[in-house]
Amino acid sequence: MIAVRNLSHRIGGAPILTDLTLDLPKGGITAIIGPNGAGKSTLMGLMARLLPIQEGQVEVDGHCVARTKTEALAKRLAIVTQRVGVASRLRVGDLVGFGRWPHHHGRPRPEDHAAVERALEAFDLLELRGRFLDELSGGQNQRAFIAMGLAQETDWLLLDEPLNNLDMYHARALMARIHGLSRAGVRSVVMVVHDINYAAAWADHVVALKDGKLDFQGAPREVLTSARLSELFGMKIGVEEIAGRPTVLHHA
Amino acid sequence: MSRPLLLTCLALAGLVAASLCVGAASVSPLQLFSDPEGVKLLLLSRLPRTAAAMLSGASMAVAGVIMQLLVRNRFVEPGTTGTVEAAMMGLLAVTMLAPGTPILGKMGISAAAALIGMAGFLALIRRLPPEEPLMVPLVGIIYSGIIGAGTTFAAYQADLLQYLGTWMNGEFSGVLAGRYELLWLAGLVAGLAYLYADRFTIAGLGETASIGLGLNYAQTLWIGMVTVSVVTAMVVVTVGAVPFVGLVVPNIVARIMGDNLRASLPVMAGMGAGLVLASDVLGRIIRFPYEIPAGTIFGAVGAAVFLWLLLGPKPRVR
Ligand SMILES: Nc1ncnc2c1ncn2[C@@H]1O[C@H](COP(=O)(O)OP(=O)(O)O)[C@@H](O)[C@H]1O
Ligand SMILES: [Mg+2]
């Protein structure tokens, strides 16, 4: 479980997160939703110690993020940020290989190579493994970074808007892959998604943020209602039940 | 051994042979190894000179690529970002205030000044927008210009201007056994950087990616900065910096081999050694029996390559 307790964050005096308390359940997929600027990325950054915690506390499986050594945390939790940044000139295979670095610190063992192969294969990157990152499309680049996070093989995998640049095929493949891992009880995945239908289809738990505060949370079937979503995004949003799950018809 | 590394080693072997044979004193290759006078020339002058050119070229190429990964910009090197100028300022200060200081002490003060200069540059570029990568080398050139102007003014006041030229423009004609050995230390420091190759590569992915992989980012940054400063100071103190080595060599190698330092660092060191040695040999041949400093030759060619990298086709911008 990731336990967030009374977490507040300010940037230049402006409140970004205010007194946030929530539990992200172990196992399964948690989807974080909310309008732009709600503080989703900030929350992910604080949970993954990319940002220093100013007020409050975050515990990952009982380990306080602020007090755990960064090397140790890298074996428990992997994060793929929203902006993976301007690419280094690394080969895809080498980049994914660095996902194993927290485990071997420069001396890869056979299991490290095997993990890299699995991650490359899962993201359809075997053919691209020899290509340089700065010679890839945005979506291919993103898949390479997600594969690096996956190769880290941590209990927790945090993905900030992983579907952004992906086509339908690869978006579905990614969701199916992490769904399989989370079902098998191997990983717990926390992801920021904008397409509510992905959350409805794949997530076990939904957390909605608005203006740096918790708006609602719960199982998708219970919380993804027209009333709640309309209030969250400040627009009329219709929700229909299709194939047994809530489906947002935002073009209607 | 990778193919680029093999080619680099072969080219290097040829250049070493040429460097041992070419010089103002006309001695045949055979005499160099048999005749007592020839052996003396070899051991006192030709070998040290060859080693000095190679060591300074290799260590400056390594310093260049480390700086590029830490700054996350391909268009920087110690000589275009104020590090060389700061090292010179430190060296000038000891020369003026305590001229009797032993060479290691001078080097230490010069390295400390270089470190401060580099830290100042890093602080300066933190504010630059990441989507404007060409701003970084431009700010570097202005920053180094300011430090350089201050140093020149102080040297002018103290009537030490002639030193600046020798510190800034690498030249190997004066290298003799006993007067260049500090460069072995520079080579050693650059070699030790290989132990940190993975860490520098990860740092090149940015601070957040580094933290995510559990890298001690601050420590890596410090080790990189100290390596760059120490290497720069040692080269400046002994033979003078060779401009553009740290820029041109990593860029050429990264185009072919990419940024994974574990694979590319030996090739960068070898190519830096080879190109500086080639400049030195050329400098001995072009106006024989007079000499042109290696730094002048590399500087002219390197400036052209730098401009091409900046403005040429398909600039690889990080
Ligand atoms: N480095 C920063 N400087 C200033 N404001 C920031 C910074 N990072 C984020 N913010 C602000 O914090 C708020 C939350 O940002 P973020 O967590 O990225 O939102 P989300 O991911 O939900 O879209 C936004 O209003 C954003 O403008
Ligand atoms: Mg965001």
Side-chain angles (χ1 to χ4, degrees), chain A residues 75-142:
Chain A
K75 294 185 205 167
R76 294 189 174 277
L77 178 146
I79 181 166
V80 181
T81 52
Q82 184 175 1
R83 274 177 287 262
V84 290
V86 218
S88 256
R89 195 166 161 79
L90 279 182
R91 290 182 206 277
V92 171
D94 290 344
L95 178 82
V96 178
F98 278 118
R100 298 302 300 169
W101 195 80
H103 301 281
H104 63 64
H105 281 227
R107 289 193 193 80
R109 301 149 301 172
E111 64 257 41
D112 296 311
H113 294 298
V116 173
E117 293 306 312
R118 282 197 292 276
L120 286 172
E121 193 179 349
F123 287 99
D124 210 7
L125 293 168
L126 284 173
E127 286 188 3
L128 294 176
R129 70 186 308 162
R131 291 267 292 277
F132 288 116
L133 284 179
D134 57 355
E135 292 167 358
L136 296 181
S137 78
Q140 291 169 333
N141 197 47
Q142 181 143 349

Side-chain angles (χ1 to χ4, degrees), chain B residues 74-134:
Chain B
R74 283 203 191 293
F75 305 121
V76 295
E77 68 134 37
T80 59
T81 53
T83 310
V84 166
E85 281 74 8
M88 283 173 24
M89 185 177 258
L91 188 52
L92 183 73
V94 229
T95 310
M96 280 164 55
L97 303 176
T101 312
I103 186 95
L104 260 178
K106 283 186 176 166
M107 193 287 292
I109 290 177
S110 175
L115 190 62
I116 294 169
M118 186 172 171
F121 174 67
L122 291 183
L124 208 58
I125 58 165
R126 270 187 101 89
R127 293 155 205 276
L128 294 179
E131 61 277 7
E132 298 272 7
L134 289 185

Side-chain angles (χ1 to χ4, degrees), chain B residues 140-153:
Chain B
I141 288 167
I142 295 169
Y143 178 71
S144 66
I146 293 171
I147 302 179
T151 313
T152 307
F153 180 72

Side-chain angles (χ1 to χ4, degrees), chain A residues 11 16 35-43 82 161:
Chain A
I11 298 178
I16 309 293
N36 294 141
K40 306 180 294 294
S41 296
T42 307
L43 174 60
Q82 184 175 1
E161 299 197 25

